[in-house]
Every structure is written in structure tokens, then in C-alpha cells.
Amino acid sequence: MLGVPLRDFTPGPYVTCRDLGGAGAVFTRGWDRRVVASGAAGKEVKQRINQHIHPPVDDAAKILAAADRVHIELPFFPRDE
């Protein structure tokens, strides 16, 4: 579609993080959505995610460059598994 070569894609780690308002948040990992953190601990992960992820939205070259990163170390994922 953009005239650039296709690249292999493997998502990982697959996570979800849902803010539950006053109840905190729930953070899951893996396709089976294993709960890693919930309540106040999940809310802390969600807040850290919101502070660290700021994708470009108005510059096509920056968007494509960001999408081309193969591996990004994400400091806010609970790593105790």
C-alpha cells in the first residue's frame, strides 16, 4: 500500500491494561490474558504506560519509523514471572 517492502511481524509481549476507575486497573499478559496485576497495582502499571507511550500522530515519516522498531524494552511491564 505504501510502496515499501513488507516485514515479518510478531507481536510480543501481548498485554492488555484496562483502567477501572476507582477500582484500579487490570493488567494482563499473553493471549490467554493471564492477570499479572490488578487493583491499585494494576492502576500503577496503567499510569506508567500512559506516561511512557507517546506515539507520533501527525508525521507520516515518524509514524513509519516508529513502526519499524523491531524490539523496544518497555520498563513498566511487571517482570516477576
Side-chain angles (χ1 to χ4, degrees), residues 13-66:
Y14 178 73
V15 300
T16 56
C17 193
R18 305 298 289 176
D19 193 315
L20 303 173
V26 63
F27 177 79
T28 68
R29 177 178 293 194
W31 296 104
D32 58 347
R33 294 196 173 109
R34 201 169 53 258
V35 175
V36 177
S38 61
K43 186 78 134 189
E44 181 181 333
V45 173
K46 179 65 174 168
Q47 289 171 340
R48 291 173 64 193
I49 288 170
N50 289 346
Q51 292 169 355
H52 284 86
I53 296 179
H54 300 283
V57 295
D58 59 356
D59 183 319
K62 287 182 181 178
I63 292 168
L64 289 174

